[in-house]
Amino acid sequence: MIKKLSLIFISAIILNASTLDEKIQNIIGYQEFNENRSLIEYLFQNDSAYYANGSINYIAVIEKLKDNGLLKVVLNKPQDISITFKISDDAIKSMKIISDSLTALGYYHYFTKDLIYDDNKTITWTINLKTEAAIDPLMLSKELAKNNCRFVDIKQEGYTKWMYKIDTSNSTLSNAYNITNNERVDLRKPLTPYFIKVDNANIIEIHSKYGNHWFPQIVFYDKHLNILNIVKENERKDSLQLEIPEETNYIKIEDIYTLANIKRGLSVIIKE
C-alpha cells in the first residue's frame, strides 16, 4: 500500500513538472525554451512553489522568467501585435476590466480584429496594435489581479501573437468607489466617468460642486454590468436624487457632454 501511494505521489510530481514545462514553453516560445532548458530546470526545480490551489500561479512563473531574462517582449522594430483574450464569465464586465487594464498600462490605440460570442457564452476577443514591445504579461496579470481576475492559460507565438485565457468568475471593478449607506463621499475631478459600487441601497443623492455646469447622465447596472436604467437630464443640475433600481450593484455618473462640466467634482450620498 505504501509503495502504491509513493508511486502515485511520484506520478503527481512528474505530471506537475511536465505541465509546468509546457506552460513555460507556451509563455516564452519553443526556441527560447530549448535554448535555456537547463537554466529553466534549475530555476523551477521546486515546481510546487509555482502552483496555487491546484493551478499554475502565472504571476510567480512570469516573475521568475522575467527576473532571469527569459521573458522577452521588446521587438527589433515596431510591429503589428495580435492579442486574443478568451473569457467564459461575465462578458460585459470582463471586457471592461480588460479594456481598463490595457488603458492603465498605457495601451489606448488598438482596434478589435475579431469578437466572437459562442453558444457556451465564451467570448474570444482579438485586438491588434502596432508597438515596439508586446504587452508585458507580468504587468497585465498584476493589473487583472486587482480586479480578482487571473490567467488560466497563456500562449505566445513569435513574440507578435499572444493568447490569454482569463478566469473572471470572481471579478470585481477595482476602480469603483465603495460607498456605504448614509455616508457622504466627495469625489474629485474625474479623468473617466465615476463608477460606484452599492449594496442594498434605495436612494442616491448627487450634489454638484460650486463652479460646475453639470448635465447629468446616470447609468445603473447589475453585478454583471447589464444596464438596468439610464437617466439623462438636458438641464443643468446642482443636485439630483434618484431611486436605485433593484439588483443594482454599480452606478456610473458622468455628464452628457463632457467631464469638464464636473471638473470641480461631485458629492454622493447613498441611502437605504
Side-chain angles (χ1 to χ4, degrees):
M1 182 66 178
I2 294 174
K3 185 176 181 181
K4 184 177 181 180
L5 288 173
S6 298
L7 288 173
I8 293 173
F9 180 70
I10 292 169
S11 298
I13 293 174
I14 294 171
L15 180 60
N16 277 356
S18 176
T19 302
L20 185 59
D21 283 350
E22 180 185 344
K23 299 300 184 183
I24 292 170
Q25 182 175 307
N26 286 342
I27 295 169
I28 65 176
Y30 177 79
Q31 182 176 340
E32 193 75 25
F33 181 85
N34 278 340
E35 289 176 356
N36 297 278
R37 183 183 290 271
S38 296
L39 175 59
I40 290 167
E41 288 178 354
Y42 172 73
L43 293 174
F44 294 92
Q45 56 186 316
N46 182 18
D47 58 281
S48 61
Y50 300 95
Y51 283 81
N53 299 319
S55 300
I56 299 288
N57 183 345
Y58 272 101
I59 289 181
V61 172
I62 297 169
E63 204 156 30
K64 179 67 76 171
L65 291 170
K66 188 174 181 179
D67 288 347
N68 288 276
L70 295 171
L71 179 63
K72 298 176 182 177
V73 295
V74 177
L75 306 170
N76 294 327
K77 59 181 180 180
Q79 295 186 46
D80 290 321
I81 303 292
S82 173
I83 306 160
T84 297
F85 301 101
K86 289 184 178 290
I87 316 152
S88 57
D89 297 279
D90 278 348
I92 300 171
K93 184 164 69 169
S94 297
M95 288 188 68
K96 173 176 172 51
I97 289 170
I98 293 170
S99 179
D100 288 350
S101 296
L102 292 173
T103 299
L105 295 177
Y107 293 95
Y108 304 93
H109 306 295
Y110 56 84
F111 69 91
T112 296
K113 180 181 178 182
D114 207 5
L115 181 60
I116 300 171
Y117 189 62
D118 64 24
D119 293 337
N120 296 320
K121 297 184 178 181
T122 296
I123 282 187
T124 302
W125 180 28
T126 300
I127 64 171
N128 276 16
L129 69 155
K130 197 173 188 70
T131 178
E132 294 181 351
I135 294 174
D136 186 327
L138 179 59
M139 294 176 66
L140 179 58
S141 64
K142 288 184 176 181
E143 200 64 41
L144 290 170
K146 294 177 183 178
N147 299 277
N148 289 331
C149 300
R150 65 180 185 88
F151 289 153
V152 176
D153 198 12
I154 304 174
K155 289 184 181 178
Q156 176 257 121
E157 296 178 18
Y159 305 112
T160 60
K161 189 174 181 181
W162 294 78
M163 185 284 294
Y164 295 101
K165 187 175 182 181
I166 305 170
D167 177 7
T168 61
S169 58
N170 297 309
S171 64
T172 58
L173 297 180
S174 64
N175 61 351
Y177 292 91
N178 283 294
I179 298 181
T180 57
N181 292 345
N182 304 313
E183 174 189 11
R184 183 187 180 103
V185 176
D186 291 323
L187 305 177
R188 296 181 179 180
K189 175 183 177 180
L191 299 177
T192 58
Y194 299 113
F195 252 87
I196 293 172
K197 189 175 188 309
V198 298
D199 186 30
N200 297 323
N202 295 315
I203 300 291
I204 180 170
E205 287 185 9
I206 309 169
H207 301 272
S208 181
K209 298 292 183 67
Y210 178 78
N212 284 337
H213 294 80
W214 183 40
F215 297 86
Q217 177 165 296
I218 318 296
V219 185
F220 299 91
Y221 302 90
D222 67 10
K223 65 180 180 180
H224 305 293
L225 278 196
N226 296 309
I227 294 174
L228 299 174
N229 190 26
I230 300 176
V231 176
K232 295 183 179 182
E233 296 286 347
N234 291 311
E235 296 181 359
R236 178 184 170 183
K237 296 288 184 180
D238 292 323
S239 64
L240 195 65
Q241 179 173 296
L242 299 170
E243 290 187 5
I244 299 174
E246 291 185 12
E247 299 184 5
T248 296
N249 274 89
Y250 295 100
I251 304 173
K252 182 170 70 172
I253 305 172
E254 56 184 329
D255 184 275
I256 291 176
Y257 303 109
T258 172
L259 292 176
N261 283 341
I262 48 175
K263 62 183 179 181
R264 307 285 184 182
L266 301 171
S267 294
V268 176
I269 305 171
I270 303 295
K271 297 182 178 180
E272 293 181 3

